[in-house]
């Protein structure tokens, strides 16, 4: 599902809301999550999962085309850990 499909689904299920308002709400939620993890905070959505940032240390990598060794800088990457409720539903264990 892409963002526009999510917005359309929420708008269809809530006919009392204008689509532009639903779009603003969805965009605000995503922006808040992005701002929080950019600041190094953890965002937990109970039953769904948690977004956080993990640090990857600098390392020596290998160019797959040439086989040459290359230096890969330290970096921070987003990380998502699923919540128990989501994991259970994915594995057919409805609660």
């Amino acid at each position: 599902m892409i963002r526009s499909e999510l917005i359309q689904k929420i708008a269809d299920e809530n006919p009392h809301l204008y689509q532009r308002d639903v779009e603003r709400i969805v965009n605000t939620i995503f922006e808040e999550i992005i701002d929080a993890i950019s600041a190094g905070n953890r965002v937990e959505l109970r039953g769904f999962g948690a977004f956080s940032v993990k640090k990857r240390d600098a390392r020596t990598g290998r160019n797959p085309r040439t086989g040459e060794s290359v230096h890969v800088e330290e970096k921070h990457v987003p990380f998502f850990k699923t919540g128990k409720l989501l994991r259970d539903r994915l594995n057919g264990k409805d609660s």
Side-chain angles (χ1 to χ4, degrees):
M1 175 179 283
I2 60 175
R3 185 185 302 223
S4 60
E5 291 171 341
L6 175 63
I7 292 167
Q8 188 61 52
K9 183 168 177 61
I10 294 171
D12 290 346
E13 291 177 1
N14 297 279
H16 61 284
L17 296 174
Y18 292 113
Q19 182 159 346
R20 68 177 181 268
D21 293 336
V22 172
E23 186 172 353
R24 191 175 304 129
I25 291 166
V26 169
N27 289 336
T28 300
I29 291 169
F30 287 146
E31 284 300 317
E32 288 299 318
I33 292 171
I34 290 168
D35 291 346
I37 63 174
S38 294
N41 298 323
R42 183 173 184 267
V43 176
E44 182 178 336
L45 303 172
R46 292 280 163 105
F48 181 69
F51 298 92
S52 60
V53 178
K54 288 207 173 202
K55 178 182 161 199
R56 288 201 181 152
D57 293 328
R59 63 185 173 86
T60 301
R62 188 165 305 279
N63 182 331
R65 188 175 300 169
T66 64
E68 175 186 348
S69 292
V70 292
H71 177 72
V72 179
E73 304 263 335
E74 169 188 296
K75 60 183 164 183
H76 294 85
V77 294
F79 179 74
F80 177 74
K81 181 177 180 183
T82 57
K84 184 178 183 325
L85 200 81
L86 177 58
R87 243 187 339 269
D88 288 348
R89 285 194 60 185
L90 289 174
N91 291 307
K93 301 175 190 170
D94 289 331
S95 298

